[in-house]
Every structure is written in structure tokens, then in C-alpha cells.
Amino acid sequence: MKIIIVGAGVSGLATYLQLRKVLPSCDSHTIHIYDSQRPSSYGLMSSRLGKEEDVTDSTAVVGNSIALAPSSVRLLKKIDDRVYKIFKARGYANETFTFKTARGHTLAITPVEDGRKAQEKTISCSRQGLWDCFHEIVGEDKIQHRKVCAVDLSGRRPVVRFANGGGEKRADLVVGTDGVRSVVKKAIFGTEDDANKYEPQYEGFCGVGAFISTELPASITTHKSMVFTFGPTGSFGYCSAAPLAQRKVGWWSNWPTPSPPSRNFVEDPESIRAQLRDRHGTWSDPVIQQVIENMSTDRVYPIWTTPELPYWGRRGAVLLGDAAHTLQATSGQGAAQALEDSMTFSLLLAHYISRVEKAQMGVEDAIESAIQGLYELRNPRVAVIKARARNLYVSKRRIENVFLEYLYYIFIYLWTNFPFIGRLTTGNVFRELEDWNPEEQVRMYLERTRRQKGGSDTYLLGN
């Protein structure tokens, strides 16, 4: 079987490693990875981002920082123990989340819950850092830097076409891990009406973020915490994006605005500082004021999401990660859900390919069954996460009224301090995120389909 992965981000490289790990008769399959972006040095996110049309993952770069919850850290270990160890060594282990108001009140300090015996922490790191972990293990020699301009699904097998007269390649399976403006998605929803229907949606928010070098403030180190501050003009967050000794604070600011900017790149970086002062200049946290005075970035990112798709693949092409379901920045779940997609699809595909080797089905049917299973398992989960993240927006306008501002703070206080209030508004989202286990989910799915078909399709991991 020949597999082409379009996009060498977290989802694409995690899929490569997982497929290599679980596909039966692995040496008989070829996997090619194509990415239009050349690698950059560790931590220099801005050097990855060239012209505006090259930026395909707006939520991924807001803040340039990520945090993987304990369940996602465990997934890294299952995908590849080497990636897991490098990521933990380059990140910062958080034990709590701190929620504050713009006026300086601490609303809550909530522990990062992990009920497992082998406990993990929530690890914060630069997004580039996570990418680099995968790149180091996969190896740059496995990634071909060629831009995929189109995918043709009209024939029996998918055909990938390259830009600038670069020719074409046929495959049995094309995996689209190429972000919110996915070329593979355009091929799957090929008609003009469908293509327009599933274009990215602007969420009514923009974001900006980067890093500063400084001693980690007590608000981070005292409780080993990520800090989230909410106010009438948006939200502001910061965390350690590296081990303590590296003195690297990642920060991000999100704010409501009715229309997206015409371009991501800002000619005058001082205009970004002026906007930050306008939104956060009176906020009480001295760390926020330090960031404003010392920040250096020239990019602003509108926050886009993918509308809910009726399916995630067809005719030998499948979407994973942001290509299938770009989530809001408030969800904090982009990388986590990409990892879950990668592992879930790989396990499903490995199972069905094992049936091909037993002459129980053909390769095309195996691929289509894996694509269908992925959608049935994963779409309900990411739809709930997206809906609950949207509930946290509260308002898409500045809050001009002090009374409404304090009502906003009361809502956050109740949501963070009283679990039943959180369940009423956003559901028991943190516990549900922890409970996802791809192997168990795949096993139960295959058991259900076996019973529905009256067959004897036993699931064995790696078979």
C-alpha cells in the first residue's frame, strides 16, 4: 500500500510514526510525507511563516505556545517514547491553572487533575518545540519539501499534483494533515457549492502572541501554573514555554473584533504594542505590562474554525487534525485532538489492513472502512469540544458596562469553583478530555460494528 501524507505538522508526523508502528507487514507499505514549508531552527516560529497564503493554521500559531494535558502527554508516549521524552524535557510541567480578572482578583487556582496511577502533568511548550520533537525523530530525510497544489479523486486511486510543474504521484491513500485551508479537503468536497459551504469560518476573534525572555514570575512558579486573565476587552494568557532555567515566557492575547484583518503581517510592529496597550494597558497584572513593553512580533491572526463536515474522507483521501476540525483558540485542544485523530485512524487502518492480508476484504474497502470509523468515532467528540469552547466567548464585543463586566467575572468564578455550574454551561469537559482512550474507543467501535453486521471481526491491536 502506498500512502501520501500532505503536511508535516504535528498530525502528519504523528500519523507517520503511528502507521509505521501498527501497520501489519510494515515494510511492504511506503509512506511519503510532503510539506511546502522548509524546516526552521528551534523556537523561531516566525521564520516558518512566509507569505500570508502560506499560513494555513491560524489557531495553531496564536501565542506560539501550546499545553498538552496529561491524557495527550500519554498519547505521545504511545505514539513514540522518544518524542515523549524530548517534549517533556523541553517543556514546563504545570500543576495548576490560575484564573484572574483584569482588575487583579484571583478567581481560582485549579489543579491539573490526573487520576491515573502513573501521573502526568500538563506540559506547556512552544508549538515549534513540539514540531521539532517530531521532526527530529521522523528525520528530515523522510520529509519532501514540495507544495501539493491539487488532489484528484476522480480515478480509482488518488493522484497528488505538485506546484510549479512538479509532476504527480498516485497513491492508495492520501492523508490530509494540511491545516484549515486544506488542499485535500478541497478535493474531497470538490463541487463549487460544497467547496464554498465548507470554507473556514471567522470566529469573530483575533489573536496575537509570542515569547519574551525573563525570569519566570511568581504567578507561574509559586503554583507551577498557567495564568489566564479575563477582562472587558478580551483575554490574556501566559505560561512558561520551556524549563525554568531557560527563562522563556509564552504569551497570547485574544480579543473580539467583527471582521478579520486584511493581512496577517503588520508593517509597523509598534502598532501591535499600541493595540495591546489599548486593550490591556490598565490591567493590574504586572507581568502583562512587562510583556507589552518587551514584546516583539509583527503578526496578528484571525481565528478561523472549520464548519462541521458531513464526512472526513472519501475515495482514498482522509482529513486529520485541523484539516478536519479546526478548533477555537479557547478550546486549547488543537494539538491534542490532532494526536487523537492520528492514533485512532492508524489503529483502525491497521485493523482493516490485517483483514486484507487474510483475504477478507480489499485494500480500497479497508481504507474506506477506516475513514468511516474515524468519522463516527471522532466527529461527535470534536463537535462537543467546539460547542463548549464557543460558550466561553461570552461576548463578541467589548464590555463597556461595569455591571456587565462583574457579571462576567462572577460567571468565570462560578464556572471554575463549582463543578456543577461548569457542567451546566460547558459540560464536564476536563474530565471527558481525560477519559478518551483511542485503543479502547477503537475496540468498542469494532465490537459494535461486528454485532451490527453479525460477523466475527475480532480486534487485536497491531493485527
Side-chain angles (χ1 to χ4, degrees):
M1 181 171 58
K2 183 176 180 179
I3 301 170
I4 290 177
I5 297 174
V6 182
V10 170
S11 182
L13 298 186
T15 302
Y16 174 86
L17 290 173
Q18 186 67 11
L19 287 174
R20 282 292 182 203
K21 186 175 183 179
V22 302
L23 276 180
S25 304
C26 183
D27 290 342
S28 67
H29 309 293
T30 60
I31 306 176
H32 298 280
I33 309 169
Y34 295 101
D35 193 284
S36 62
Q37 299 288 334
R38 296 247 168 220
S40 62
S41 59
Y42 173 74
L44 297 179
M45 173 67 71
S46 60
S47 64
R48 268 190 70 94
L49 303 177
K51 298 178 181 178
E52 182 178 356
E53 59 266 28
D54 290 335
V55 180
T56 58
D57 189 355
S58 61
T59 58
V61 294
V62 171
N64 297 346
S65 302
I66 60 165
L68 290 188
S71 59
S72 300
V73 175
R74 274 189 287 271
L75 276 189
L76 277 185
K77 186 175 180 65
K78 290 178 180 179
I79 292 169
D80 193 288
D81 189 59
R82 297 166 297 174
V83 174
Y84 164 83
K85 289 177 179 177
I86 296 171
F87 178 70
K88 288 189 68 174
R90 290 183 180 173
Y92 183 85
N94 298 275
E95 298 179 359
T96 64
F97 298 141
T98 298
F99 298 91
K100 302 173 72 173
T101 75
R103 296 177 182 268
H105 310 105
T106 298
L107 298 172
I109 300 176
T110 62
V112 176
E113 297 182 3
D114 185 16
R116 306 293 181 87
K117 289 182 179 179
Q119 288 202 345
E120 297 285 357
K121 307 298 184 185
T122 290
I123 307 296
S124 54
C125 183
S126 70
R127 176 168 289 270
Q128 179 79 38
L130 178 58
W131 280 347
D132 284 346
C133 293
F134 277 104
H135 276 258
E136 288 176 24
I137 298 307
V138 170
E140 289 300 332
D141 61 314
K142 300 293 194 301
I143 302 169
Q144 301 179 57
H145 297 284
R146 302 174 65 185
K147 185 172 183 177
V148 173
C149 63
V151 178
D152 184 356
L153 303 180
S154 62
R156 184 172 178 182
R157 299 171 68 203
V159 177
V160 170
R161 295 197 172 98
F162 300 97
N164 304 317
E168 62 184 37
K169 298 277 188 182
R170 293 185 182 274
D172 297 293
L173 171 65
V174 174
V175 182
T177 58
D178 48 342
V180 64
R181 302 189 187 280
S182 167
V183 171
V184 182
K185 185 176 76 172
K186 290 178 181 177
I188 291 171
F189 300 99
T191 67
E192 185 175 342
D193 287 343
D194 279 348
N196 292 333
K197 187 188 303 183
Y198 302 121
E199 281 293 301
Q201 297 174 338
Y202 175 58
E203 283 287 305
F205 281 77
C206 283
V208 64
F211 305 98
I212 64 168
S213 296
T214 183
E215 293 291 337
L216 296 189
S219 50
I220 290 177
T221 59
T222 301
H223 299 286
K224 295 185 178 179
S225 195
M226 298 181 68
V227 181
F228 305 89
T229 303
F230 300 90
T233 54
S235 63
F236 197 103
Y238 58 88
C239 65
S240 176
L244 185 67
Q246 293 189 24
R247 303 169 66 249
K248 186 176 185 178
V249 172
W251 64 271
W252 59 94
S253 169
N254 299 323
W255 69 95
T257 182
S259 57
S262 59
R263 56 186 304 189
N264 293 358
F265 178 76
V266 177
E267 294 287 351
D268 180 14
E270 285 302 311
S271 66
I272 295 180
R273 195 187 317 276
Q275 293 171 18
L276 288 170
R277 284 173 178 154
D278 175 58
R279 291 193 302 275
H280 309 296
T282 61
W283 289 23
S284 296
D285 189 338
V287 177
I288 295 176
Q289 303 310 315
Q290 181 186 8
V291 166
I292 293 173
E293 294 309 311
N294 292 279
M295 73 89 195
S296 176
T297 184
D298 57 7
R299 297 177 189 272
V300 174
Y301 298 98
I303 296 175
W304 304 92
T305 59
T306 304
E308 186 169 350
L309 305 178
Y311 45 88
W312 289 359
R314 67 181 184 92
R315 300 184 65 83
V318 66
L319 304 174
L320 303 181
D322 282 339
H325 50 72
T326 308
L327 298 169
Q328 306 93 327
T330 52
S331 75
Q333 282 293 309
Q337 296 310 305
L339 293 174
E340 291 183 11
D341 284 354
S342 297
M343 190 166 185
T344 301
F345 179 71
S346 298
L347 292 172
L348 285 166
L349 184 63
H351 169 77
Y352 289 115
I353 290 298
S354 72
R355 298 193 62 197
V356 173
E357 296 191 343
K358 297 172 185 175
Q360 295 175 342
M361 65 193 315
V363 172
E364 292 177 12
D365 288 339
I367 291 170
E368 293 306 309
S369 296
I371 292 172
Q372 180 180 344
L374 173 75
Y375 184 78
E376 292 179 6
L377 273 174
R378 299 285 302 141
N379 184 62
R381 175 169 168 78
V382 296
V384 168
I385 291 171
K386 183 181 291 187
R388 290 172 179 174
R390 196 167 279 139
N391 287 345
L392 297 178
Y393 283 157
V394 179
S395 173
K396 290 189 176 182
R397 301 185 302 273
R398 286 193 179 212
I399 302 173
E400 304 290 352
N401 184 292
V402 174
F403 175 72
L404 293 178
E405 179 186 348
Y406 272 90
L407 280 181
Y408 178 32
Y409 297 152
I410 290 169
F411 164 75
I412 297 172
Y413 175 82
L414 294 173
W415 174 69
T416 52
N417 286 276
F418 298 95
F420 74 94
I421 298 291
R423 284 193 292 271
L424 288 174
T425 55
T426 61
N428 196 9
V429 64
F430 296 113
R431 175 54 55 198
E432 289 172 4
L433 290 175
E434 286 300 302
D435 285 345
W436 179 266
N437 182 321
E439 292 126 324
E440 183 65 13
Q441 293 292 330
V442 168
R443 185 192 66 78
M444 291 190 297
Y445 171 79
L446 293 172
E447 285 294 325
R448 287 196 304 272
T449 56
R450 179 187 62 81
R451 289 194 300 269
Q452 290 166 1
K453 296 176 181 179
S456 57
D457 187 9
T458 303
Y459 169 63
L460 296 174
L461 179 63
N463 285 348

